[in-house]
Amino acid sequence: KAGVTQTPRYLIKTRGQQVTLSCSPISGHRSVSWYQQTPGQGLQFLFEYFSETQRNKGNFPGRFSGRQFSNSRSEMNVSTLELGDSALYLCASSWTGHKGDTQYFGPGTRLTVL
Amino acid sequence: DAKTTQPTSMDCAEGRAANLPCNHSTISGNEYVYWYRQIHSQGPQYIIHGLKNNETNEMASLIITEDRKSSTLILPHATLRDTAVYYCIVRVADSGNTPLVFGKGTRLSVIA
């Protein structure tokens, strides 16, 4: 079974631009979570989607948003990019997200903001 | 904040067992212990998880103390490819999806 895939793997943007990252979960998984990893803050939870609805959200500004499609694929968007948004963005999927079922991570998208 | 305490770094000789400790003294009865690892700049890889019984899979063994306040991840025969940051995470296992809260983890270096 294929793992979680993320596209693109690398991205370079400039301040003020916006960016959209994509995540395809493991087949059959319906919950998708997004995390940001930076050297200073480590791995931090952004939000989680299940059945096209945002079910949980971390402590990030409104510039960070996401959505999930009926096939469980998910996208996250960052508007008005800042230098501090440079990070590894990770997507993780699980069957339903209930009862603490295991999350499996993709390889990440490395975003560099210049 | 992470609810676990791990050593910052550890070394292990190739071929020997790597024993990574984790302290989770405030763990609740409905919380699992999860272990993930992250090889440089890749996505975290799930290793194993447990509630109160010891667990073993093809990658590792998880030993949880009887009072559940600490645990040890054991890689039985460490190889150079096991060099990574290992995260011990405590997570509620009830209905609804609680996010993983990562601490700083333990940087394991496997030495030839």
Side-chain angles (χ1 to χ4, degrees):
Chain A
K1 188 180 280 191
V4 178
T5 58
Q6 293 186 245
T7 57
R9 293 292 312 279
Y10 302 90
L11 204 50
I12 299 175
K13 292 286 188 179
T14 57
R15 278 180 300 174
Q17 287 187 310
Q18 74 166 11
V19 67
T20 299
L21 311 181
S22 180
C23 171
S24 292
I26 292 170
S27 178
H29 284 194
R30 295 170 61 193
S31 169
V32 173
S33 298
W34 289 89
Y35 293 80
Q36 180 197 63
Q37 185 173 27
T38 60
Q41 299 298 318
L43 266 153
Q44 293 186 291
F45 171 73
L46 280 158
F47 31 65
E48 185 246 350
Y49 287 86
F50 177 76
S51 291
E52 303 177 63
T53 300
Q54 186 180 88
R55 196 165 55 172
N56 208 343
K57 189 177 188 308
N59 188 24
F60 278 82
R63 299 185 298 107
F64 292 82
S65 63
R67 60 177 175 169
Q68 187 180 35
F69 302 96
S70 58
N71 62 357
S72 295
R73 191 176 68 84
S74 177
E75 290 181 345
M76 68 162 283
N77 183 276
V78 188
S79 63
T80 318
L81 284 166
E82 301 177 359
L83 295 179
D85 296 333
S86 294
L88 180 66
Y89 289 89
L90 293 155
C91 164
S93 75
S94 61
W95 286 105
T96 65
H98 289 298
K99 299 214 180 284
D101 62 18
T102 301
Q103 294 186 16
Y104 296 92
F105 284 81
T109 294
R110 171 76 60 188
L111 172 64
T112 301
V113 181
L114 303 176
Chain B
D1 289 341
K3 298 165 68 173
T4 61
T5 304
Q6 300 178 252
T8 302
S9 64
M10 295 180 62
D11 292 337
C12 178
E14 189 178 21
R16 304 297 292 268
N19 296 277
L20 292 94
C22 179
N23 182 287
H24 32 79
S25 58
T26 61
I27 193 169
S28 300
N30 65 343
E31 291 181 315
Y32 279 87
V33 179
Y34 279 79
W35 283 85
Y36 283 79
R37 72 180 183 184
Q38 187 173 26
I39 297 169
H40 182 64
S41 292
Q42 297 181 22
Q45 178 187 21
Y46 166 76
I47 301 173
I48 198 167
H49 73 284
L51 185 61
K52 52 184 176 182
N53 297 322
N54 297 338
E55 302 287 345
T56 296
N57 63 20
E58 65 279 3
M59 287 184 66
S61 294
L62 173 61
I63 309 298
I64 302 174
T65 57
E66 195 168 339
D67 63 7
R68 302 186 70 241
K69 293 185 177 182
S70 66
S71 60
T72 301
L73 178 74
I74 301 172
L75 307 178
H77 305 286
T79 71
L80 298 179
R81 285 180 291 185
D82 292 321
T83 293
V85 177
Y86 287 76
Y87 297 98
C88 170
I89 299 166
V90 166
R91 182 169 177 239
V92 174
D94 60 4
S95 61
N97 191 24
T98 54
L100 296 167
V101 178
F102 289 82
K104 296 188 183 304
T106 296
R107 183 172 300 277
L108 175 69
S109 298
V110 180
I111 303 165

